[in-house]
mmCIF file of all heavy atoms in Angstrom:
data_model
loop_
_atom_site.group_PDB
_atom_site.id
_atom_site.type_symbol
_atom_site.label_atom_id
_atom_site.label_comp_id
_atom_site.label_asym_id
_atom_site.label_seq_id
_atom_site.Cartn_x
_atom_site.Cartn_y
_atom_site.Cartn_z
ATOM 1 N N ALA W 86 97.900 -82.007 50.933
ATOM 2 C CA ALA W 86 99.257 -82.173 51.382
ATOM 3 C C ALA W 86 100.026 -80.903 51.272
ATOM 4 O O ALA W 86 100.337 -80.386 50.316
ATOM 5 C CB ALA W 86 99.947 -83.166 50.462
ATOM 6 N N ARG W 87 100.128 -80.280 52.544
ATOM 7 C CA ARG W 87 100.783 -79.075 52.599
ATOM 8 C C ARG W 87 102.128 -79.107 53.418
ATOM 9 O O ARG W 87 102.573 -78.029 54.080
ATOM 10 C CB ARG W 87 99.906 -77.909 53.032
ATOM 11 C CG ARG W 87 99.045 -77.415 51.957
ATOM 12 C CD ARG W 87 97.894 -76.441 52.463
ATOM 13 N NE ARG W 87 96.590 -76.975 51.822
ATOM 14 C CZ ARG W 87 95.694 -77.817 52.232
ATOM 15 N NH1 ARG W 87 95.887 -78.488 53.326
ATOM 16 N NH2 ARG W 87 94.551 -78.003 51.494
ATOM 17 N N GLY W 88 102.547 -80.278 53.718
ATOM 18 C CA GLY W 88 103.733 -80.395 54.560
ATOM 19 C C GLY W 88 103.503 -80.800 55.905
ATOM 20 O O GLY W 88 102.209 -80.298 56.342
ATOM 21 N N CYS W 89 104.328 -81.002 56.850
ATOM 22 C CA CYS W 89 104.100 -81.353 58.317
ATOM 23 C C CYS W 89 103.935 -80.054 58.850
ATOM 24 O O CYS W 89 104.694 -79.086 58.915
ATOM 25 C CB CYS W 89 105.444 -82.029 58.756
ATOM 26 S SG CYS W 89 105.219 -82.224 60.622
ATOM 27 N N LEU W 90 102.628 -79.842 59.472
ATOM 28 C CA LEU W 90 102.319 -78.690 60.190
ATOM 29 C C LEU W 90 103.239 -78.316 61.329
ATOM 30 O O LEU W 90 103.426 -77.070 61.684
ATOM 31 C CB LEU W 90 100.850 -78.768 60.696
ATOM 32 C CG LEU W 90 100.130 -77.472 60.975
ATOM 33 C CD1 LEU W 90 99.986 -76.565 59.799
ATOM 34 C CD2 LEU W 90 98.828 -77.656 61.570
ATOM 35 N N PHE W 91 103.895 -79.257 61.969
ATOM 36 C CA PHE W 91 104.622 -79.023 63.108
ATOM 37 C C PHE W 91 105.983 -78.483 62.587
ATOM 38 O O PHE W 91 106.411 -77.469 63.139
ATOM 39 C CB PHE W 91 104.833 -80.244 63.824
ATOM 40 C CG PHE W 91 103.616 -80.951 64.503
ATOM 41 C CD1 PHE W 91 102.889 -81.823 63.653
ATOM 42 C CD2 PHE W 91 103.299 -80.689 65.674
ATOM 43 C CE1 PHE W 91 101.652 -82.336 64.208
ATOM 44 C CE2 PHE W 91 102.130 -81.188 66.334
ATOM 45 C CZ PHE W 91 101.255 -81.970 65.422
ATOM 46 N N LEU W 92 106.569 -78.990 61.516
ATOM 47 C CA LEU W 92 107.772 -78.550 61.029
ATOM 48 C C LEU W 92 107.587 -77.056 60.304
ATOM 49 O O LEU W 92 108.431 -76.127 60.396
ATOM 50 C CB LEU W 92 108.408 -79.309 59.928
ATOM 51 C CG LEU W 92 108.964 -80.744 60.533
ATOM 52 C CD1 LEU W 92 109.546 -81.564 59.380
ATOM 53 C CD2 LEU W 92 109.787 -80.564 61.797
ATOM 54 N N ARG W 93 106.299 -76.950 59.906
ATOM 55 C CA ARG W 93 106.036 -75.565 59.336
ATOM 56 C C ARG W 93 105.852 -74.536 60.472
ATOM 57 O O ARG W 93 106.356 -73.336 60.343
ATOM 58 C CB ARG W 93 104.697 -75.548 58.474
ATOM 59 C CG ARG W 93 104.798 -76.442 57.264
ATOM 60 C CD ARG W 93 103.427 -76.536 56.463
ATOM 61 N NE ARG W 93 102.841 -75.201 56.292
ATOM 62 C CZ ARG W 93 101.581 -75.171 55.817
ATOM 63 N NH1 ARG W 93 100.707 -76.183 55.928
ATOM 64 N NH2 ARG W 93 101.032 -74.022 55.574
ATOM 65 N N ALA W 94 105.294 -74.959 61.539
ATOM 66 C CA ALA W 94 105.274 -74.010 62.720
ATOM 67 C C ALA W 94 106.674 -73.682 63.274
ATOM 68 O O ALA W 94 106.864 -72.499 63.518
ATOM 69 C CB ALA W 94 104.450 -74.628 63.780
ATOM 70 N N TYR W 95 107.550 -74.635 63.389
ATOM 71 C CA TYR W 95 108.908 -74.431 63.648
ATOM 72 C C TYR W 95 109.474 -73.501 62.874
ATOM 73 O O TYR W 95 110.313 -72.589 63.253
ATOM 74 C CB TYR W 95 109.544 -75.891 63.822
ATOM 75 C CG TYR W 95 111.031 -75.696 64.403
ATOM 76 C CD1 TYR W 95 111.183 -75.613 65.705
ATOM 77 C CD2 TYR W 95 111.981 -75.845 63.496
ATOM 78 C CE1 TYR W 95 112.541 -75.522 66.173
ATOM 79 C CE2 TYR W 95 113.439 -75.524 63.913
ATOM 80 C CZ TYR W 95 113.557 -75.495 65.178
ATOM 81 O OH TYR W 95 114.904 -75.327 65.627
ATOM 82 N N GLY W 96 109.268 -73.851 61.541
ATOM 83 C CA GLY W 96 110.021 -72.774 60.463
ATOM 84 C C GLY W 96 109.604 -71.364 60.566
ATOM 85 O O GLY W 96 110.403 -70.527 60.308
ATOM 86 N N GLU W 97 108.290 -71.268 60.888
ATOM 87 C CA GLU W 97 107.763 -69.768 60.797
ATOM 88 C C GLU W 97 108.168 -68.970 62.026
ATOM 89 O O GLU W 97 108.297 -67.775 62.129
ATOM 90 C CB GLU W 97 106.245 -70.019 60.741
ATOM 91 C CG GLU W 97 105.803 -70.177 59.324
ATOM 92 C CD GLU W 97 104.353 -69.578 59.049
ATOM 93 O OE1 GLU W 97 104.241 -68.661 59.497
ATOM 94 O OE2 GLU W 97 103.548 -70.309 58.396
ATOM 95 N N THR W 98 108.262 -69.769 63.191
ATOM 96 C CA THR W 98 108.708 -69.036 64.414
ATOM 97 C C THR W 98 110.283 -68.990 64.639
ATOM 98 O O THR W 98 110.778 -68.324 65.519
ATOM 99 C CB THR W 98 108.072 -69.777 65.683
ATOM 100 O OG1 THR W 98 108.546 -71.091 65.726
ATOM 101 C CG2 THR W 98 106.501 -69.670 65.566
ATOM 102 N N GLY W 99 111.048 -69.880 63.751
ATOM 103 C CA GLY W 99 112.416 -69.839 63.813
ATOM 104 C C GLY W 99 112.900 -70.129 65.127
ATOM 105 O O GLY W 99 113.949 -69.794 65.648
ATOM 106 N N SER W 100 112.231 -71.018 65.944
ATOM 107 C CA SER W 100 112.588 -71.412 67.200
ATOM 108 C C SER W 100 112.565 -70.420 68.227
ATOM 109 O O SER W 100 113.179 -70.474 69.246
ATOM 110 C CB SER W 100 113.918 -72.232 67.153
ATOM 111 O OG SER W 100 114.924 -71.330 67.080
ATOM 112 N N ASN W 101 111.929 -69.247 67.857
ATOM 113 C CA ASN W 101 111.787 -68.129 68.865
ATOM 114 C C ASN W 101 110.723 -68.363 69.871
ATOM 115 O O ASN W 101 110.789 -67.476 70.772
ATOM 116 C CB ASN W 101 111.558 -66.742 68.050
ATOM 117 C CG ASN W 101 112.823 -66.161 67.649
ATOM 118 O OD1 ASN W 101 113.863 -66.340 68.139
ATOM 119 N ND2 ASN W 101 112.752 -65.297 66.572
ATOM 120 N N THR W 102 109.998 -69.403 69.750
ATOM 121 C CA THR W 102 109.003 -69.646 70.774
ATOM 122 C C THR W 102 109.179 -71.051 71.308
ATOM 123 O O THR W 102 108.753 -72.047 70.758
ATOM 124 C CB THR W 102 107.513 -69.523 70.097
ATOM 125 O OG1 THR W 102 107.529 -68.369 69.227
ATOM 126 C CG2 THR W 102 106.370 -69.424 71.128
ATOM 127 N N PRO W 103 109.776 -71.225 72.429
ATOM 128 C CA PRO W 103 110.265 -72.386 73.041
ATOM 129 C C PRO W 103 109.170 -73.373 73.168
ATOM 130 O O PRO W 103 109.386 -74.544 73.079
ATOM 131 C CB PRO W 103 110.995 -71.996 74.300
ATOM 132 C CG PRO W 103 111.331 -70.615 74.146
ATOM 133 C CD PRO W 103 110.273 -70.093 73.299
ATOM 134 N N GLU W 104 108.051 -72.890 73.686
ATOM 135 C CA GLU W 104 106.910 -73.717 73.952
ATOM 136 C C GLU W 104 106.459 -74.396 72.725
ATOM 137 O O GLU W 104 105.990 -75.579 72.717
ATOM 138 C CB GLU W 104 105.728 -72.732 74.395
ATOM 139 C CG GLU W 104 106.163 -71.650 75.349
ATOM 140 C CD GLU W 104 105.225 -70.451 75.129
ATOM 141 O OE1 GLU W 104 104.134 -70.555 75.596
ATOM 142 O OE2 GLU W 104 105.675 -69.477 74.674
ATOM 143 N N ILE W 105 106.483 -73.719 71.546
ATOM 144 C CA ILE W 105 106.104 -74.390 70.341
ATOM 145 C C ILE W 105 107.117 -75.443 69.832
ATOM 146 O O ILE W 105 106.873 -76.465 69.415
ATOM 147 C CB ILE W 105 105.895 -73.376 69.207
ATOM 148 C CG1 ILE W 105 104.549 -72.717 69.516
ATOM 149 C CG2 ILE W 105 105.730 -73.956 67.769
ATOM 150 C CD1 ILE W 105 104.180 -71.397 68.424
ATOM 151 N N THR W 106 108.417 -75.099 70.040
ATOM 152 C CA THR W 106 109.470 -75.999 69.792
ATOM 153 C C THR W 106 109.222 -77.370 70.617
ATOM 154 O O THR W 106 109.508 -78.431 70.114
ATOM 155 C CB THR W 106 110.828 -75.397 70.107
ATOM 156 O OG1 THR W 106 111.059 -74.114 69.391
ATOM 157 C CG2 THR W 106 111.979 -76.343 69.800
ATOM 158 N N ASP W 107 108.929 -77.108 71.878
ATOM 159 C CA ASP W 107 108.669 -78.251 72.761
ATOM 160 C C ASP W 107 107.505 -79.264 72.167
ATOM 161 O O ASP W 107 107.736 -80.399 72.071
ATOM 162 C CB ASP W 107 108.226 -77.872 74.117
ATOM 163 C CG ASP W 107 109.437 -77.290 74.891
ATOM 164 O OD1 ASP W 107 110.567 -77.360 74.381
ATOM 165 O OD2 ASP W 107 109.293 -76.586 76.004
ATOM 166 N N ILE W 108 106.431 -78.589 71.774
ATOM 167 C CA ILE W 108 105.310 -79.332 71.140
ATOM 168 C C ILE W 108 105.844 -80.089 69.960
ATOM 169 O O ILE W 108 105.453 -81.349 69.735
ATOM 170 C CB ILE W 108 104.174 -78.515 70.876
ATOM 171 C CG1 ILE W 108 103.662 -77.884 72.085
ATOM 172 C CG2 ILE W 108 103.142 -79.243 69.992
ATOM 173 C CD1 ILE W 108 102.530 -76.877 71.920
ATOM 174 N N VAL W 109 106.593 -79.416 69.074
ATOM 175 C CA VAL W 109 107.065 -80.045 67.828
ATOM 176 C C VAL W 109 107.907 -81.294 68.163
ATOM 177 O O VAL W 109 107.745 -82.261 67.517
ATOM 178 C CB VAL W 109 107.864 -79.088 66.965
ATOM 179 C CG1 VAL W 109 108.392 -79.703 65.858
ATOM 180 C CG2 VAL W 109 106.897 -77.954 66.468
ATOM 181 N N LEU W 110 108.957 -80.961 69.037
ATOM 182 C CA LEU W 110 109.929 -82.094 69.359
ATOM 183 C C LEU W 110 109.211 -83.300 69.965
ATOM 184 O O LEU W 110 109.554 -84.384 69.627
ATOM 185 C CB LEU W 110 110.978 -81.558 70.159
ATOM 186 C CG LEU W 110 111.976 -80.555 69.447
ATOM 187 C CD1 LEU W 110 113.086 -80.115 70.445
ATOM 188 C CD2 LEU W 110 112.429 -81.017 68.252
ATOM 189 N N SER W 111 108.273 -83.018 70.904
ATOM 190 C CA SER W 111 107.626 -84.163 71.522
ATOM 191 C C SER W 111 106.696 -84.873 70.580
ATOM 192 O O SER W 111 106.559 -86.080 70.697
ATOM 193 C CB SER W 111 106.922 -83.739 72.824
ATOM 194 O OG SER W 111 105.646 -83.195 72.380
ATOM 195 N N HIS W 112 106.158 -84.217 69.621
ATOM 196 C CA HIS W 112 105.386 -84.794 68.571
ATOM 197 C C HIS W 112 106.261 -85.836 67.785
ATOM 198 O O HIS W 112 105.958 -86.789 67.490
ATOM 199 C CB HIS W 112 104.756 -83.836 67.709
ATOM 200 C CG HIS W 112 104.078 -84.420 66.466
ATOM 201 N ND1 HIS W 112 102.812 -85.214 66.368
ATOM 202 C CD2 HIS W 112 104.522 -84.415 65.168
ATOM 203 C CE1 HIS W 112 102.771 -85.510 65.198
ATOM 204 N NE2 HIS W 112 103.777 -85.098 64.440
ATOM 205 N N LYS W 113 107.410 -85.177 67.480
ATOM 206 C CA LYS W 113 108.214 -86.054 66.592
ATOM 207 C C LYS W 113 108.909 -87.230 67.363
ATOM 208 O O LYS W 113 109.014 -88.375 66.654
ATOM 209 C CB LYS W 113 109.452 -85.183 66.084
ATOM 210 C CG LYS W 113 109.000 -84.106 65.025
ATOM 211 C CD LYS W 113 108.355 -84.770 63.859
ATOM 212 C CE LYS W 113 108.048 -83.800 62.730
ATOM 213 N NZ LYS W 113 107.215 -84.412 61.600
ATOM 214 N N ALA W 114 108.975 -87.130 68.613
ATOM 215 C CA ALA W 114 109.450 -88.227 69.528
ATOM 216 C C ALA W 114 108.372 -89.218 69.536
ATOM 217 O O ALA W 114 108.565 -90.514 69.451
ATOM 218 C CB ALA W 114 109.736 -87.747 70.899
ATOM 219 N N ALA W 115 107.104 -88.886 69.655
ATOM 220 C CA ALA W 115 106.015 -89.748 69.798
ATOM 221 C C ALA W 115 105.781 -90.466 68.382
ATOM 222 O O ALA W 115 105.507 -91.751 68.374
ATOM 223 C CB ALA W 115 104.713 -89.142 70.106
#
Side-chain angles (χ1 to χ4, degrees):
Chain W
R87 282 165 222 94
C89 172
L90 196 63
F91 298 89
L92 294 184
R93 288 173 62 196
Y95 182 80
E97 284 208 39
T98 59
S100 73
N101 270 337
T102 317
E104 322 146 66
I105 289 179
T106 301
D107 290 347
I108 295 176
V109 173
L110 294 183
S111 81
H112 167 77
K113 289 303 183 184

